[in-house]
Amino acid sequence: MKLGEALRERADLQKEISALSARLAATARYLEGETPQENAADTLAQARASIARFHLLVKDINTTNAATVVDGVTITALLARRDALAGERKLLTEAADAAAGTRRSDLMFVARRRTTELREVPALHVLELRGEADRLAAQLRELDVRIQQANWDTDLL
């Protein structure tokens, strides 16, 4: 099995576990004298089996990511870099929005403000922040392509 296939199965299992949990919550109690829509014990057993499979799959994915090297760096390190880039990009975008006054709370404040009050000015250079966020987004896309390629080239350990 390829790493990409394992990642897809992991995502499917996450959705399945969530759906089984919702079904279990809906059938865990029923009115006396009525027949439940489905057997809660069977649903619980199915959910536990899915969680066990999920656990094994995540363990194998993590082992593979830690052992697979792409351009001199492990996939685990690439994933960490991707998370850092995404976090920094989000930070810069939010800072630019705040400095530009485009957040909903800022717009509501401006609408209530009187024209005789002092004018707010940005403490950060909005265009520079947006440009830097765009550069980070491009790096993020390039990194994601490298990770995706590795996922489909690598066999699951």
Side-chain angles (χ1 to χ4, degrees), residues 25-129:
T27 60
R29 295 180 61 86
Y30 63 95
L31 293 175
E32 185 179 10
E34 290 190 8
T35 305
Q37 293 178 337
E38 63 182 309
N39 185 317
D42 291 345
T43 305
L44 179 59
Q46 188 179 356
R48 283 184 162 161
S50 294
I51 289 169
R53 172 66 182 145
F54 179 81
H55 169 257
L56 293 175
L57 201 55
V58 168
K59 180 183 65 69
D60 292 346
I61 289 168
N62 290 345
T63 298
T64 304
N65 285 343
T68 303
V69 176
V70 177
D71 300 330
V73 180
T74 64
I75 292 178
T76 300
L78 292 175
L79 293 170
R81 179 68 182 142
R82 182 180 68 182
D83 291 346
L85 284 171
E88 186 177 1
R89 181 186 169 275
K90 181 178 183 224
L91 174 75
L92 293 176
T93 301
E94 289 174 353
D97 288 348
T102 57
R103 295 180 308 182
R104 181 171 169 75
S105 60
D106 291 340
L107 296 174
M108 290 171 47
F109 175 75
V110 169
R112 289 186 298 221
R113 200 173 57 181
R114 294 184 184 143
T115 56
T116 59
E117 293 181 25
L118 294 175
R119 187 173 70 93
E120 286 185 338
V121 294
L124 300 168
H125 194 278
V126 175
L127 290 178
E128 286 178 11
L129 289 173

